[in-house]
Amino acid sequence: MKSIKILTLVLLAFGFSTATFAQSTATASATATFLVPISIEKNTDLNFGTLASSATAGTAVLSTSSVLSKTNGVTIVSGTPTAAQFTVTGDTNKSFSVTRPASIVLTGSVSGSLTLTLADDLGGATGTLVSGTKVIKVGGTLTVPANTVAGTYSNASGLSITVNYN
């Protein structure tokens, strides 16, 4: 009987000791990476200069490199046409996407409105922040109806461009 008690105690001791060998611990590190916040700033407004309309409808086309051309009944009178220019700033070599309207409406100071179809120099709605910056230029095609009323035509809400990291 004594040997059974000793055998039971030995088995219990081994049972408890194997439990301590079954335990293991691992440690993981924790990290967080922060990007430079992306931002955009307007450098230059979009400006077609001074134009004249005739009895024939036409267009005024302002390229992203600020070259103004015209078709049909539009005459370029004076001024220095400029494409809108924006600078995007953020984390170096990160890609970003651009959201802008396809067109905006310019309302006349006296009466009437003109449609401006926009174009940018990204050629796709995405870009890369080489050296942490990227300049975006925006031009467009202004549709000029025949006998457009004289006055200044502008967009009340402006030309908004939004950028986000991809």
Side-chain angles (χ1 to χ4, degrees), residues 78-159:
S78 64
T80 304
T82 55
Q85 183 174 311
F86 302 86
T87 299
V88 181
T89 306
D91 219 19
T92 299
N93 295 324
K94 293 293 182 189
S95 64
F96 65 95
S97 61
V98 174
T99 305
R100 64 161 176 77
S103 64
I104 56 176
V105 175
L106 307 181
T107 304
S109 56
V110 177
S111 68
S113 62
L114 307 172
T115 299
L116 172 57
T117 303
L118 301 169
D120 63 58
D121 62 353
L122 287 179
T126 62
T128 301
L129 295 167
V130 178
S131 300
T133 62
K134 174 71 176 168
V135 173
I136 301 171
K137 295 179 182 178
V138 179
T141 301
L142 187 62
T143 302
V144 181
N147 302 313
T148 296
V149 175
T152 300
Y153 289 76
S154 61
N155 178 277
S157 60
L159 166 56

Side-chain angles (χ1 to χ4, degrees), residues 48 51 58-64 66-71 74 76 81 116-117 119 139-144:
F48 281 87
L51 307 170
T59 61
V61 180
L62 181 58
S63 73
T64 57
S66 297
V67 175
L68 182 62
S69 60
K70 55 108 181 163
T71 65
V74 175
I76 300 169
L116 172 57
T117 303
T141 301
L142 187 62
T143 302
V144 181

Side-chain angles (χ1 to χ4, degrees), residues 28-71:
S29 64
T31 61
T33 303
F34 288 84
L35 295 175
V36 174
I38 193 166
S39 65
I40 186 167
E41 183 177 315
K42 179 206 61 162
N43 303 330
T44 308
D45 289 317
L46 193 149
N47 186 336
F48 281 87
T50 303
L51 307 170
S53 171
S54 69
T56 304
T59 61
V61 180
L62 181 58
S63 73
T64 57
S65 57
S66 297
V67 175
L68 182 62
S69 60
K70 55 108 181 163
T71 65

